[in-house]
C-alpha cells in the first residue's frame, strides 16, 4: 500500500542514508520531526529555569561560573534545535507561540522544583544523565540536521553530567547534613528522571512509526533500563541509599530490576498539572512579552535598511 515515493524513502532510511531538508519526505515524517525536535528545543529553553534559579546562590565562585556556562549551553542547544526544525518549514516564532499557548510540550522533568543546592547537583547528574542516554543514539537519527545538531549537544551534555556528579559527590562526601541533602535530592528526583524517557512501551503511541523511520533509535523502556543500569553503581559509589527498594540485580536478565514510576503522575504532569507547570509557562510568556520591543526594533531597522536599498 506504499506509493513508489514512500517505498524509495523507506529504502533510504533502511540503508542509513540521511534525509536532508530538500528531499521528499512523507507529511507525517515531517510532522513527527517538528513535534519531537520542537519539543526537544522547548525542553532546552524551559530547562534553563530550574537551574537559572540557583546561579545567584551557588556556594562558590567556581560553582557559579560552571552553572552559568551550563545554563548558557542549554540556551545554545535550544537555538540549535530551533534552527534545525526551521529546515522543515516551520518558523521559530511559530514554534515558540505553540509552546507559549500550550499546543506543544516540553519535558515533564522541568515541572519539578529545584529546592536547594543539592538539587542542582542531582539535576546535572540524573537529568542530564538521562538526557544524554536519550540523545547519544539520536546522533544516528535519520534526519540530517537533527543528527548533526545532536553531535555537539552530546559533547556539552556530558560535561553537564560530570559537573553534576562532581557537585553531588562533594555533598555526599561532606558533613552529615550535606549527605542528607544529597540523599533527599536523589530520592525526590529519581522518579521524575525515569519519567523523562516517556511512557512505558505499551503506552508509547509514537514509538513504532518513529522507530521504523529511525527518528527514534530505541524504545522508551530500553533507554530507561540503560539509565538505571548505569546509575545504580554510581549511587553505590557515592554511598547513598537506593531511592527504590525494588532495585535488585537480576542475573538472569543481566539488568537491575526496578519499580516503575507512577504513570498517572506522569500523565498528569504532561497535561499541565505538575508542581511548576503554571510558573514555567508564565516565565516563558513574560520573557516573550518583555522581549517584544527588541523584536519590533530589529524588524523596524530591517525595514528601514531594505527601503534605503530600494531608493
Ligand atoms: N515529557 C513530556 N512529554 C512526554 C515525555 C516527557 N518526558 N515523554 C513522552 N511525552 C509525550 C509525547 O510527546 C507524546 O505526546 P504527544 O503525542 O502529545 O506529543 C506522549 O507523551 C506519548 O509518548 P511517546 O509516544 O513515547 O512519544 P515519543 O515517541 O515522542 O517519545 C521521547 C518521547 C522519548 C521524549 C522522544 O520525543 C524523544 O526522544 N525526544 C527527544 C529528546 C528530548 O526531547 N529530550 C529533552 C530532554 S531534556 C533536555 O535534553 C534538556
Amino acid at each position: 500500500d506504499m506509493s513508489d515515493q514512500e517505498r524509495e524513502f523507506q529504502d533510504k532510511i533502511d540503508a542509513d542514508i540521511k534525509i536532508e531538508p530538500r528531499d521528499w519526505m512523507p507529511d507525517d515524517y515531517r510532522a513527527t520531526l517538528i513535534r519531537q525536535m520542537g519539543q526537544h528545543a522547548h525542553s532546552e529553553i524551559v530547562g534553563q529555569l530550574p537551574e537559572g534559579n540557583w546561579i545567584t546562590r551557588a556556594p562558590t565562585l567556581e560553582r557559579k561560573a560552571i552553572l552559568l556556562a551550563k545554563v548558557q549551553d542549554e540556551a545554545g542547544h535550544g537555538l540549535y534545535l530551533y534552527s534545525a526544525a526551521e529546515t522543515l518549514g516551520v518558523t521559530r516564532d511559530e514554534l515558540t507561540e505553540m509552546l507559549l499557548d500550550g499546543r506543544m510540550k516540553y519535558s515533564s522533568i522541568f515541572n519539578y522544583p529545584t529546592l536547594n543546592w543539592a538539587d542542582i547537583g542531582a539535576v546535572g547528574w540524573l537529568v542530564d544523565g538521562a538526557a544524554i542516554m536519550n540523545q547519544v543514539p539520536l546522533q544516528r537519527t535519520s534526519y540530517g540536521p537533527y543528527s548533526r545538531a545532536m553531535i555537539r549537544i552530546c559533547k556539552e551534555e556530558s560535561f553537564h553530567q560530570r559537573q553534576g556528579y562532581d557537585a553531588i559527590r562533594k555533598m555526599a562526601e561532606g558533613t552529615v547534613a550535606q549527605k542528607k541533602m544529597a540523599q533527599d535530592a536523589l530520592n525526590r528526583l529519581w522518579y521524575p528522571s525515569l519519567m523523562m524517557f516517556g511512557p512505558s512501551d505499551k503506552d508509547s503511541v509514537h514509538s513504532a512509526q518513529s522507530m521504523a523511520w529511525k527518528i527514534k533509535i530505541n524504545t522508551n523502556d530500553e533507554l530507561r533500563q540503560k539509565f538505571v543500569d548505569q546509575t545504580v553503581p554510581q549511587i553505590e559509589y557515592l554511598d547513598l541509599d537506593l531511592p527504590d527498594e525494588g532495585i535488585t540485580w537480576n542475573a538472569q536478565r543481566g539488568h537491575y530490576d526496578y519499580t516503575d514510576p507512577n504513570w498517572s503522575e506522569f500523565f498528569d504532569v504532561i497535561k499541565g498539572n505538575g508542581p511548576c507547570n503554571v510558573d514555567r509557562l508564565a516565565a516563558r510568556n513574560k520573557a516573550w512579552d518583555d522581549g517584544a520591543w527588541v523584536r519590533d526594533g530589529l524588524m523596524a531597522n530591517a525595514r528601514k535598511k531594505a527601503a534605503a536599498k530600494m531608493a
Side-chain angles (χ1 to χ4, degrees):
D1 57 334
M2 267 192 198
S3 68
D4 287 350
Q5 223 168 13
E6 280 171 336
R7 168 64 53 208
E8 212 175 288
F9 176 83
Q10 189 63 48
D11 287 347
K12 270 168 81 176
I13 302 263
D14 294 344
D16 284 330
I17 297 170
K18 295 282 181 238
I19 307 302
E20 296 299 338
R22 291 181 190 188
D23 296 345
W24 183 87
M25 60 185 84
D27 290 344
D28 282 349
Y29 177 85
R30 187 185 299 277
T32 300
L33 276 173
I34 291 173
R35 178 183 62 79
Q36 179 170 318
M37 293 166 71
Q39 179 167 328
H40 196 163
H42 299 326
S43 302
E44 304 283 356
I45 297 298
V46 177
Q48 295 178 99
L49 296 170
E51 292 185 293
N53 184 33
W54 280 89
I55 290 172
T56 54
R57 289 173 286 172
T60 67
L61 181 60
E62 192 191 5
R63 293 283 176 199
K64 179 175 175 136
I66 293 169
L67 186 59
L68 195 57
K70 176 199 188 302
V71 173
Q72 281 177 341
D73 285 351
E74 307 295 2
H77 298 175
L79 299 188
Y80 239 61
L81 286 164
Y82 285 131
S83 298
E86 282 188 315
T87 65
L88 293 160
V90 64
T91 69
R92 188 171 141 196
D93 282 5
E94 284 168 332
L95 289 168
T96 301
E97 279 158 13
M98 288 193 274
L99 166 70
L100 296 180
D101 67 18
R103 274 176 294 158
M104 283 184 85
K105 295 188 172 78
Y106 55 89
S107 181
S108 51
I109 186 69
F110 301 118
N111 294 308
Y112 291 85
T114 44
L115 302 178
N116 57 46
W117 181 254
D119 285 14
I120 296 301
V123 165
W125 171 33
L126 302 173
V127 174
D128 293 317
I132 308 174
M133 197 55 88
N134 165 282
Q135 290 172 150
V136 164
L138 290 179
Q139 293 176 111
R140 291 182 286 119
T141 194
S142 59
Y143 188 55
Y146 192 24
S147 88
R148 290 187 289 273
M150 279 300 130
I151 293 170
R152 172 168 174 181
I153 290 177
C154 283
K155 285 190 178 136
E156 294 181 346
E157 214 67 70
S158 34
F159 154 69
H160 298 169
Q161 196 271 347
R162 281 177 207 157
Q163 70 83 34
Y165 189 70
D166 182 67
I168 205 83
R169 188 178 54 78
K170 195 91 181 169
M171 303 280 293
E173 292 171 357
T175 63
V176 172
Q178 285 172 324
K179 185 166 182 180
K180 216 169 147 230
M181 283 173 73
Q183 182 70 56
D184 176 57
L186 168 61
N187 293 349
R188 277 182 294 105
L189 287 163
W190 176 253
Y191 284 113
S193 300
L194 293 191
M195 292 176 194
M196 288 174 69
F197 296 98
S200 65
D201 290 351
K202 65 178 177 8
D203 295 318
S204 171
V205 287
H206 301 296
S207 278
Q209 182 60 72
S210 288
M211 287 175 72
W213 278 332
K214 296 187 186 165
I215 289 175
K216 277 170 87 162
I217 309 295
N218 303 92
T219 74
N220 300 354
D221 286 333
E222 277 168 13
L223 292 175
R224 191 168 12 251
Q225 179 72 62
K226 254 183 124 172
F227 176 75
V228 171
D229 290 347
Q230 173 183 282
T231 310
V232 168
Q234 294 173 348
I235 297 171
E236 287 168 348
Y237 180 84
L238 293 172
D239 193 30
L240 295 174
D241 295 331
L242 295 172
D244 161 16
E245 286 173 2
I247 294 177
T248 45
W249 178 249
N250 183 328
Q252 209 179 353
R253 289 201 308 126
H255 293 290
Y256 285 97
D257 290 337
Y258 62 94
T259 312
D260 252 339
N262 175 350
W263 290 120
S264 58
E265 175 181 325
F266 168 79
F267 286 112
D268 210 33
V269 169
I270 67 174
K271 260 188 245 135
N273 303 320
C276 299
N277 296 61
V278 171
D279 283 0
R280 299 300 187 228
L281 270 192
R284 289 315 307 157
N285 271 287
K286 181 176 185 307
W288 182 247
D289 295 343
D290 288 353
W293 68 274
V294 179
R295 296 191 300 276
D296 291 347
L298 287 171
M299 291 310 289
N301 184 257
R303 276 193 299 272
K304 208 166 106 183
K305 283 234 167 95
K309 216 173 180 180
M310 299 254 284

